[in-house]
Amino acid sequence: MLDASEGYITEDGRKIGGVVMEMKNITLRFGGVVAIKDISFDIREGEIRAIIGPNGAGKSSMLNVISGFYVPQEGEVWFHGQKRPPMRPYEVARQGIARTFQNIALFEGMSVLDNVMTGRLNYMQAGLFAQAIWRGKAEREETENREAVEKIIDFLEIQHIRKTPVSRLPYGLKKRVELARALAAEPKLLLLDEPMAGMNVEEKEDMSRFILDVNDEFGTTIALIEHDMGVVMDLSDRVVVMDYGKKIGDGTPDEVRNNQEVIDAYLGVAHD
Amino acid sequence: MFYREAGDFKTSYVADNQTFPIKFDRYRYYAVLVVAFGIIPFVINDYWANALLLPFLIYAIAAIGLNILVGYCGQVSLGTGGFMAVGAYACYKLMTAFPEVSMFIHVILAGGITAAVGVLFGLPSLRIKGFYLAVATLAAQFFLVWLFNRVPWFYNYSASGQINAPERDVFGIIITGPNAPAWATYLFCLIFLTACAVIARNLTRGTMGRTWMAIRDMDIAAEIIGVNPLKAKMTAFAVSSFFVGISGALFFALYLGAVEVGEAFGIQKSFLVLFMVIIGGLGSIFGSFAGAAFLVLLPVVLKVVGADMLGWPTDIVAHLQLVIVGALIITFLIMEPHGLAQLWRVAKEKLRLWPFPH
Ligand SMILES: Nc1ncnc2c1ncn2[C@@H]1O[C@H](COP(=O)(O)OP(=O)(O)O)[C@@H](O)[C@H]1O
Ligand SMILES: [Mg+2]
């Protein structure tokens, strides 16, 4: 169904390109615990790729491998057709990979605006001296990047809280601010770890809409982890299913839904 | 309703990003500058300079420096006294080696040397945090004091082991030694404080400040969004130590004149500056001023009110000071970690809405 090199057009008319990220035989162990067992999958340009599976399946660990936070014992990460050498997380960020976290990781002591501005750190190059006197490049960069950030703030409809300290925000808005910070980096690949966990129905709908809009308007490639099967089926182009660190399914939502192993894994979860 | 932002709309991001976005604050800031530069130099005398003004100006610089490290970047340091000593001894060596060079240059260079030393002693922060980092900086404190005591080269082999500031001038005006007029030493320190405060404000409102605060609030997330933790922490140590070094140089050359390192820059100095930062407000430039003012004023006020007016014994007054500071530290740490600066912000917020809070 999928051609290895070229892309395809989805039912709703979005263009999916070639492979941008490829995980090859990744194995990740924590002492005796094998969090990821020999998993391979790829992510195509412009697609929304979901990773699902019961708790403890190794989904977050997989995102952590992609963002350079965990170094797998075995396997290779290929990005844009090149094998990625071992990298620090900030170097991965500079390659155009941004993410949100399962447990919100905002900078609690800073305002919403400052949090989102940190997303643009990689676009700010003014030296210490220019910043100290607040002239030239420093001042110019601040204004330019503020403009970019304001666009994202508008896009995610958080104008009214831009000067609010993050610590005062309710959970749902924090999730949105975290998405704003990731988007501010204008990433090529956006990783979302359970962006809708703990949200009510209305908030989930908002978040789904934002994710689709990001993908649609900016053409951002998205890999997301989600529990809610309904949401996953609606949002994603292709799904990886993990269970106990192993990959037990990979394909379109329909293919995955009818996969017996996947059904068993999910029924198993429902029973305990 | 004399304090307000209503009607004070921002039409550009530059305007929204000023140091004092509200007109009223801006005017008050100009007023303070006019008084500090235009009036005080004409009315100052030796008592005011030595009892209040010089220590306030110099400690404010140190507090700004420490606040950058602790309040903005979240790296605890108990080595402030030691780093001030580095500034003082660097300044002394430069003053005696290059007598004809301007004191401005010496003080700035002393700051630069302290910055380098600060980075060196800041390296452990890459591996350790919190309590352990505090202990490591404490070790730096003791090591530096020991070093300046033990290596005679640092005090030019003087018999007393002390360092004494020789007489130096700037543009023909004597600013060190016993013949320096109060207004000149005051202005010299004031210029440095103003420059340091402006630089600190600029650094903390921009990219650098956000990088530091990101490390402070959540270092793992900071690294994942692209902050190089090595660079962020080392710049914080460098900038912080630069200011602390300047304050040490001024403390020695313009305020004390003669220094015995353990006495002037011992561990109690580290705590004093840390208390200023905590009482004034972590992560606030204004708080650094407030904390320095408070801890410089407190003993003077207690002495005037307690000892002179009420006739209390001096040792009681001294103990009372310790009790007050201790109680305040505990109160602020538990109830208001952002210190006097936050109390001031809350008061302003109330005032902004007054008299119609709804
Ligand atoms: N830093 C870590 N140290 C030790 N074990 C870990 C660590 N991170 C994850 N694990 C283990 O790896 C497994 C997968 O965890 P995780 O990736 O968080 O699962 P998921 O996100 O699918 O719920 C779990 O057994 C978890 O306990
Ligand atoms: Mg998880």
Side-chain angles (χ1 to χ4, degrees), chain B residues 116-349:
Chain B
V117 176
V119 168
L120 193 67
F121 283 104
L123 285 175
S125 71
L126 296 176
R127 281 300 167 87
I128 54 179
K129 293 182 199 172
F131 175 72
Y132 298 95
L133 181 60
V135 173
T137 56
L138 193 63
Q141 163 74 41
F142 284 111
F143 170 76
L144 289 168
V145 168
W146 173 86
L147 183 75
F148 293 128
N149 250 330
R150 281 308 160 90
V151 181
W153 179 80
F154 286 114
Y155 48 85
N156 282 0
Y157 308 94
S158 78
S160 60
Q162 286 195 345
I163 54 173
N164 290 285
E167 192 170 286
R168 293 286 180 270
D169 63 337
V170 203
F171 309 123
I173 304 155
I174 298 169
I175 58 154
T176 62
N179 299 322
W183 67 267
T185 49
Y186 163 82
L187 265 186
F188 191 78
C189 292
L190 181 64
I191 289 169
F192 271 100
L193 174 58
T194 311
C196 288
V198 169
I199 290 172
R201 169 64 192 156
N202 285 343
L203 288 178
T204 52
R205 70 174 155 155
T207 315
M208 199 79 256
R210 283 190 291 266
T211 312
W212 291 335
M213 289 188 277
I215 289 284
R216 171 196 70 191
D217 285 350
M218 193 168 274
D219 51 358
I220 292 171
E223 186 167 0
I224 283 181
I225 64 166
V227 174
N228 178 345
L230 172 85
K231 222 172 124 191
K233 288 178 183 172
M234 289 308 106
T235 49
F237 268 97
V239 173
S240 164
S241 308
F242 178 70
F243 291 155
V244 170
I246 285 178
S247 84
L250 296 175
F251 197 72
F252 151 68
L254 277 83
Y255 179 58
L256 292 181
V259 155
E260 197 283 310
V261 62
E263 218 170 86
F265 299 117
I267 178 72
Q268 66 281 20
K269 192 112 306 170
S270 298
F271 279 112
L272 179 64
V273 180
L274 187 62
F275 290 166
M276 286 173 179
V277 170
I278 292 172
I279 290 177
L282 289 162
S284 158
I285 305 293
F286 170 75
S288 311
F289 280 83
F294 184 84
L295 283 188
V296 167
L297 269 175
L298 184 66
V300 178
V301 169
L302 280 180
K303 184 181 168 301
V304 171
V305 174
D308 300 354
M309 286 164 59
L310 300 174
W312 295 343
T314 43
D315 56 336
I316 298 274
V317 173
H319 290 153
L320 191 61
Q321 183 190 335
L322 292 179
V323 172
I324 292 176
V325 171
L328 278 176
I329 295 287
I330 293 171
T331 317
F332 275 122
L333 280 182
I334 295 174
M335 312 210 337
E336 186 48 88
H338 298 290
L340 292 172
Q342 178 67 9
L343 296 182
W344 174 241
R345 262 196 296 274
V346 171
K348 278 206 302 193
E349 223 151 85

Side-chain angles (χ1 to χ4, degrees), chain B residues 1-23:
Chain B
M1 246 203 327
F2 52 89
Y3 180 80
R4 41 185 255 154
E5 61 180 339
D8 201 356
F9 295 111
K10 306 295 176 299
T11 49
S12 72
Y13 298 135
V14 177
D16 194 36
N17 214 357
Q18 297 171 99
T19 298
F20 299 103
I22 297 177
K23 266 204 189 100

